[in-house]
């Protein structure tokens, strides 16, 4: 809303400009007036529109032309005053004043004009006949008014109209010649209609109308008033009311009517409530409210925002198949000035057999946008009218800024629900396949994706200890000389090599050594295309040896060349690692990093095995290598103990306990040998 309004009065000498101002201020006609009144400011609380208003007089005798031009450029509205009994002063309106003002103002930012016929007490007839053609000729003339400083007639009205012309201008809304709403106004009102049509049936029913009324004017409509409104529309057009609700046509007609009856403020109130400025653009404050995001924090949508997005989905999923067909997507984004989702979105989130974005996929895409570019998410929520429908202060109420990641690490706990995994690997190693498999697409389905529809992101949900979490996979372009901060910043790293390509592991090894060897971010080595023949990698260490050396999990075999949708296990594991990066004992099998695995590796040593075998032979006097029954029994108990360790880990037991358990296992193992 505007901070203040500046009204300038111009016109020929002696038409009564100064008297009008004095009459307004003192509420009586001054017998004697100065040539020019001092600039006066009316405080906000005594003006009808509650905006401080400055009134500025002009006197040819006291001011230079330059001063006049300055005042014109400062004014928000200009009243051209003439005396109704002075023909010459009327002629001067068109011959002098309007051209002079137009010359001094930009065509795009013309100030509204008001024609003021003063001294109406001196004549019987009205000057309107002469004035109306002028009004029709010049679009910038907002209105005209006849008044008398002497009789105090229409004085406060005059200043009220001037104020209104600034605060609720006709220009952007209505075209007087065509007698219809301007296209940009129709567009804005159509968006408002769509946002308010909560069930998307193309009709504002009584509930929706009441909600709309409450939202815009803070009061519901009385049942009778509601009927009256509909009756007015019914009387004027055939398809304005349908099924006892207001159609878009009826809604637009009502606003045309408001404007034609001089009640622009009604339409403006609606437009402003839905975030529009004077040029009928959504304001920056509405679309981009402040959200402070400290470093090492991420952005997520909160529960309320998901509920809202769910209702938006339901409203547009007309066939109730829990997926959005291309038409439904188009319909959903009709309230946007542009289509925000490209064809790549269909390969970023989950889709159904037809390739349509599912409900889960839709929420995932919102989650992704919020995580990667919260400003964009705020903007999109603005178009959908989140803060209006959910009666929130701003779109910012939809966003949760998570706790600093470093505090999460310290406390070994996180409340976050979105985790990012950067996927790195040489060209052709199978990164995209890994991303697409997360969306349930096997190799065959992936081959149908057009090159220009491919996405470098994939996001979906996984369950970690019963909690639903989002895992965001990001495929990083393979160029390890230029990996940026953003390429490296994530919660878990996935290094992909192709088991069938001997040159592919080197990239993983180099990237790991250059960027992740000292980082706290957990890393997983992925042996992609595991359905193909595994070849020896051209690297000094085999992937297994490399992992062992660097205390990484052994390479995880992965293939998306499956008949069914590929398995989701690896994604759950990645999410778990992202959630619990501190938990070194994160797997009981062979993570190669935890104390248990170290013990296991020790036991697996060739030397120890041969001693064991020899001991067995000596003790049991048998040539067979079969272990004694006691040993088998212990092996079972080892497994049980492993489970216990893992279970404790899941409950975040301190690493000390996790150390002693494997140590105990080790001793048990050695004892069984003796
Ligand atoms: P300005 O030069 O436009 O500022 O005009 P003034 O306010 O100085 O008024 C010029 C003359 O017209 C003064 O003698 C006023 O008393 C007189 N006058 C101003 N307004 C009215 C009015 O509404 N009715 C009548 N009868 N005289 C007016
Ligand atoms: Mg004067």
């Amino acid at each position: 809303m505007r901070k203040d309004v500046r009204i300038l009065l111009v016109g020929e000498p002696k038409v009564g400009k100064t008297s009008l101002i004095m009459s307004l201020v003192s509420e009586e006609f001054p017998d004697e007036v100065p040539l020019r009144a001092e600039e006066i400011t009316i405080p906000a609380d005594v003006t009808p529109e509650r905006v401080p208003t400055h009134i500025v007089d002009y006197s040819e005798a006291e001011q230079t032309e330059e001063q006049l031009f300055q005042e014109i450029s400062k004014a928000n509205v200009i009243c051209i005053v003439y005396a109704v009994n002075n023909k010459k002063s009327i002629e001067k309106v068109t011959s002098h004043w309007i051209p002079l003002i137009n010359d001094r103002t930009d065509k795009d930012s013309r100030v509204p004009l008001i024609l003021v016929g003063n001294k109406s007490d001196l004549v019987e007839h009205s000057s309107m006949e002469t004035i109306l053609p002028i009004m029709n000729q010049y679009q910038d003339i907002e209105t005209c008014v006849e008044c008398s400083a002497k009789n105090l007639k229409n004085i406060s009205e005059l200043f009220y109209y001037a104020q209104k012309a600034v605060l609720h201008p006709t220009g952007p809304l209505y075209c007087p010649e065509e007698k219809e709403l301007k296209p940009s106004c129709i567009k804005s009102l159509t968006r408002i209609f769509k946002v308010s049509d909560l069930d998307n049936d193309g009709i504002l029913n009584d509930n929706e109308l009441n909600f709309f009324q409450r939202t815009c004017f803070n009061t519901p409509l009385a049942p009778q008033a509601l009927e009256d409104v509909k009756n007015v529309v019914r009387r004027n057009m055939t398809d304005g009311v349908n099924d006892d609700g207001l159609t878009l046509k009826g809604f637009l007609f009502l606003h045309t009517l408001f404007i034609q009856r001089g009640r622009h403020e009604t339409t403006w109130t609606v437009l402003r409530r839905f975030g529009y400025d004077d040029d009928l653009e959504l304001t920056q404050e509405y679309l981009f409210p402040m959200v402070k995001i400290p470093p090492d924090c991420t952005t997520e949508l909160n529960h309320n925002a998901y509920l809202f997005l769910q209702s938006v989905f339901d409203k547009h999923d007309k066939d109730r198949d829990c997926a959005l067909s291309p038409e439904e997507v188009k319909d959903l984004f009709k309230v946007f000035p542009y289509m925000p989702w490209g064809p790549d979105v269909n390969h970023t989130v989950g889709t159904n057999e037809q390739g349509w974005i599912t409900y889960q996929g839709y929420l995932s895409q919102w989650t992704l946008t919020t995580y990667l570019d919260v400003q964009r998410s705020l903007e999109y929520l603005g178009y959908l009218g989140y803060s209006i429908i959910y009666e929130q202060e701003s779109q910012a109420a939809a966003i949760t800024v998570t706790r600093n990641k470093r505090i999460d690490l310290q406390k070994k706990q996180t409340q976050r629900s979105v985790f990012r995994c950067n996927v790195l690997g040489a060209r052709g190693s199978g990164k995209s396949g890994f991303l697409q498999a997360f969306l349930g697409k096997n190799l065959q389905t992936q081959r149908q994706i057009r090159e220009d529809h491919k996405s470098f992101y994939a996001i979906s949900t996984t369950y970690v200890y019963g909690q639903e979490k989002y895992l965001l996979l990001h495929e990083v372009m393979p160029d390890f000389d230029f990996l940026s901060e953003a390429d490296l910043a994530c919660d878990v790293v996935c290094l992909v090599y192709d088991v069938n390509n001997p040159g592919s592991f080197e990239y993983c090894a180099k990237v790991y050594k250059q960027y992740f060897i000292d980082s706290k971010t957990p890393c997983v080595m992925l042996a992609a295309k595991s359905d193909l023949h595994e070849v020896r990698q051209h690297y000094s260490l085999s992937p297994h040896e490399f992992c062992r050396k660097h205390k990484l999990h052994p390479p995880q075999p992965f293939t998306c060349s499956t008949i069914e949708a590929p398995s989701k296990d690896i994604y759950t594991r990645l999410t778990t690692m992202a959630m619990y990066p501190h938990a070194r004992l994160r797997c009981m099998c062979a993570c190669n990093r935890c104390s248990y695995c170290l013990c296991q590796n020790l036991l697996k040593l060739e030397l120890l095995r041969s001693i064991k075998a020899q001991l067995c032979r000596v003790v049991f006097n048998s040539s067979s290598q079969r272990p004694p029954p006691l040993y088998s029994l212990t092996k079972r108990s080892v497994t049980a103990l492993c489970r216990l360790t893992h279970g404790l880990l899941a409950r975040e037991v301190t690493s000390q306990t996790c150390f002693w358990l494997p140590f105990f296992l080790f001793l048990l193992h050695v004892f069984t040998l003796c």
Side-chain angles (χ1 to χ4, degrees), residues 30-73:
D31 289 330
E32 278 188 27
V33 288
L35 281 175
R36 180 169 180 252
E38 294 278 327
E39 176 180 327
I40 61 159
T41 298
I42 307 175
D45 50 350
V46 290
T47 70
E49 295 286 341
R50 312 253 158 234
V51 190
T53 303
H54 314 282
I55 302 176
V56 183
D57 195 8
Y58 165 70
S59 157
E60 201 181 287
E62 282 210 341
Q63 284 170 291
T64 61
E65 241 192 0
E66 192 47 44
Q67 283 170 323
L68 170 66
F69 295 155
Q70 268 177 16
E71 284 301 344
I72 289 175
S73 60

Side-chain angles (χ1 to χ4, degrees), residues 351-626:
T351 49
N352 68 6
E353 307 78 58
Q354 284 132 303
W356 299 348
I357 293 163
T358 59
Y359 170 64
Q360 200 45 258
Y362 160 87
L363 292 183
S364 296
Q365 179 61 27
W366 277 97
T367 309
L368 177 77
T369 313
T370 309
Y371 185 95
L372 295 179
D373 187 354
V374 70
Q375 293 297 322
R376 201 155 272 260
S377 224
L378 291 169
E379 178 191 345
Y380 291 175
L381 284 167
Y383 296 138
L384 291 175
Y386 169 74
S387 59
I388 299 157
I389 303 296
Y390 267 43
E391 302 179 52
Q392 302 287 333
E393 184 114 336
S394 79
Q395 264 63 254
I399 307 294
T400 302
V401 178
T402 62
R403 184 167 72 176
N404 187 311
K405 197 176 155 184
R406 269 183 271 165
I407 301 179
D408 274 3
L409 283 172
Q410 249 170 35
K411 305 224 174 213
K412 300 187 175 176
Q413 255 183 20
T414 183
Q415 297 290 317
R416 288 167 55 192
S417 53
V418 188
F419 297 90
R420 176 180 180 136
C421 169
N422 282 358
V423 181
L424 295 108
R427 212 170 293 280
S429 55
K431 300 185 293 300
S432 302
F434 183 62
L435 260 71
Q436 288 304 313
F438 188 31
L439 308 176
K441 289 178 191 155
N442 62 18
L443 199 59
Q444 207 183 349
T445 325
Q446 290 176 28
R447 288 204 170 117
Q448 292 155 11
I449 303 173
R450 274 172 50 172
E451 198 55 41
D452 54 334
H453 290 182
K454 286 190 171 158
S455 170
F456 291 106
Y457 290 96
I459 179 165
S460 185
T461 51
T462 61
Y463 283 87
V464 176
Y465 302 127
Q467 296 173 53
E468 192 185 41
K469 299 287 171 189
Y470 282 97
L471 178 67
L472 186 173
L473 298 177
H474 171 47
E475 177 177 346
V476 178
M477 287 310 259
D479 188 352
F480 54 75
D481 289 333
F482 296 107
L483 289 183
S484 64
E485 282 281 310
D487 291 331
L488 302 171
C490 57
D491 303 300
V492 57
V493 177
C494 191
L495 297 165
V496 184
Y497 71 95
D498 173 357
V499 296
N500 194 234
N501 176 354
S504 64
F505 181 70
E506 192 186 5
Y507 178 89
C508 298
K510 277 191 172 174
V511 166
Y512 179 78
K513 283 181 19 192
Q514 190 168 336
Y515 298 104
F516 297 107
I517 197 157
D518 295 322
S519 109
K520 286 212 169 77
T521 317
C523 291
V524 172
M525 202 63 82
L526 197 79
K529 313 192 191 177
S530 63
D531 56 298
L532 300 180
H533 172 62
E534 178 157 8
V535 295
R536 231 184 105 79
Q537 291 291 329
H538 293 163
Y539 189 71
S540 52
L541 296 174
S542 76
H544 271 88
E545 286 164 345
F546 183 89
C547 289
R548 192 169 304 155
K549 182 175 168 202
H550 293 284
K551 298 179 181 154
L552 293 169
H553 292 249
Q556 307 287 306
F558 173 81
T559 176
C560 52
S561 176
T562 48
I563 297 177
E564 300 286 303
S567 154
K568 278 211 161 191
D569 290 353
I570 178 74
Y571 305 102
T572 308
R573 198 178 303 173
L574 284 171
T575 320
T576 315
M577 288 172 76
M579 281 177 77
Y580 303 107
H582 52 280
R584 294 180 65 78
L585 248 180
R586 67 182 66 83
C587 84
M588 58 175 183
C589 46
C591 77
N592 263 335
R593 295 176 79 155
C594 62
S595 326
Y596 172 73
C597 282
L598 293 183
C599 296
Q600 282 279 313
N601 288 342
L602 197 69
L603 291 173
K604 274 189 217 144
L605 277 181
E606 232 9 79
L607 181 72
L608 211 69
R609 276 193 193 179
S610 63
I611 296 173
K612 202 163 84 178
Q614 281 180 16
L615 265 173
C616 279
R617 228 173 286 138
V618 172
V619 173
F620 299 102
N621 198 17
S622 149
S623 58
S624 89
Q625 296 267 325
R626 268 226 326 261

Side-chain angles (χ1 to χ4, degrees), residues 15-16 25 41 51 101 115 160 180 231 234 238 256 299 387 432 455 466 482 509 523 531-532 543 573 591 672:
V15 290
V25 178
T41 298
V51 190
I101 293 166
L115 299 187
Y160 172 56
E180 58 188 35
N231 282 336
R234 271 195 203 103
T238 46
T256 316
T299 40
S387 59
S432 302
S455 170
F482 296 107
C523 291
D531 56 298
L532 300 180
R573 198 178 303 173
C591 77
T672 56

